[in-house]
Amino acid sequence: KQEVTQIPAALSVPEGENLVLNCSFTDSAIYNLQWFRQDPGKGLTSLLLIQSSQREQTSGRLNASLDKSSGRSTLYIAASQPGDSATYLCAVSANAGKSTFGDGTTLTVKP
Amino acid sequence: EPEVTQTPSHQVTQMGQEVILRCVPISNHLYFYWYRQILGQKVEFLVSFYNNEISEKSEIFDDQFSVERPDGSNFTLKIRSTKLEDSAMYFCASSGDFYEQYFGPGTRLTVT
């Protein structure tokens, strides 16, 4: 059974800092890994999708890496802003079916 | 930009009542999903749907749940006899190329 863990559970940083969020998964037989952002009481916004054959993906200030063999992914956020404050979720999928989610990292960026 | 929509945004129902949660997936997507998130807990998979049938379901998705695609645009989740523990945020998602999942804003279900 796939299990996804995200560390840290919460993170507070001053504006402008670069930061790294971590995601680990127990079963390396994944099809893809997706990072989401969730604002309080809201839906999930897809940030980045990494296929199992890829090592990283970039979108603006965000960069996600994937090391499938070790069961790890990181989300790097450059030059953090208060608007980045949210919960970041990692989800892995073995096929076109279900995604398994981690508990998330709640990020607070202080002005 | 295309998006997944869900109605209603909030549904309050009494225990034992039936509820139907509605979703309009992104129009050219072929895979549809329902997830739920109990307050303070992880997002949990319920069911995936492809080619007019369930492709995968979790142990949560028991006989009280059903899904349907009644027409070319809507995708519904029915809970037949709601329980207090069904109170949660229910998310619909759809995916196309590379199975990237796009989520709707959710329906908050409160069972009293």
Side-chain angles (χ1 to χ4, degrees):
Chain A
K1 179 185 171 185
Q2 180 74 271
E3 292 184 3
V4 179
T5 303
Q6 292 188 244
I7 293 173
L11 183 62
S12 181
V13 301
E15 182 176 2
E17 272 206 6
N18 303 325
L19 55 102
V20 175
L21 309 181
N22 297 289
C23 171
S24 61
F25 46 95
T26 53
D27 185 350
S28 62
I30 65 168
Y31 183 81
N32 63 36
L33 183 146
Q34 202 166 349
W35 282 94
F36 294 89
R37 168 187 173 134
Q38 185 176 30
D39 292 288
K42 303 291 185 185
L44 282 64
T45 300
S46 179
L47 298 173
L48 289 163
L49 174 79
I50 311 179
Q51 300 295 327
S52 62
S53 57
Q54 297 174 320
R55 298 283 294 181
E56 66 178 318
Q57 282 285 349
T58 298
S59 176
R61 294 182 293 109
L62 305 180
N63 175 276
S65 68
L66 173 64
D67 184 342
K68 199 174 83 157
S69 61
S70 68
R72 294 172 190 250
S73 176
T74 61
L75 179 67
Y76 175 83
I77 302 177
S80 58
Q81 303 170 357
D84 294 332
S85 298
T87 296
Y88 291 81
L89 301 173
C90 166
V92 297
S93 175
N95 47 38
K98 71 177 184 181
S99 285
T100 302
F101 281 79
D103 283 310
T105 294
T106 299
L107 172 66
T108 303
V109 181
K110 299 177 181 177
Chain B
E1 184 172 327
E3 59 182 17
V4 177
T5 60
Q6 290 186 244
T7 55
S9 57
H10 191 191
Q11 174 94 44
V12 181
T13 190
Q14 289 190 329
M15 197 166 49
Q17 295 297 304
E18 174 182 288
V19 295
I20 297 176
L21 310 183
R22 291 183 167 80
C23 168
V24 179
I26 294 173
S27 61
N28 62 344
H29 284 181
L30 299 178
Y31 297 87
F32 315 116
Y33 314 84
W34 284 101
Y35 292 82
R36 79 174 185 188
Q37 186 176 34
I38 295 170
L39 189 63
Q41 297 188 22
K42 285 186 181 186
V43 175
E44 301 175 288
F45 169 79
L46 293 178
V47 66
S48 58
F49 192 85
Y50 171 73
N51 201 25
N52 285 319
E53 61 183 25
I54 291 173
S55 51
E56 190 171 358
K57 61 182 180 179
S58 72
E59 59 275 11
I60 302 169
F61 194 89
D62 60 21
D63 291 344
Q64 70 164 329
F65 292 94
S66 63
V67 290
E68 193 177 32
R69 188 155 164 80
D71 53 43
S73 59
N74 291 282
F75 180 50
T76 63
L77 174 69
K78 181 190 290 186
I79 309 175
R80 257 178 276 282
S81 178
T82 50
K83 305 170 189 169
L84 293 176
E85 54 265 37
D86 293 328
S87 295
M89 184 76 95
Y90 288 80
F91 293 109
C92 173
S94 68
S95 68
D97 292 344
F98 306 115
Y99 311 125
E100 181 172 5
Q101 295 189 21
Y102 291 86
F103 280 68
T107 292
R108 181 168 299 283
L109 177 64
T110 303
V111 183
T112 62

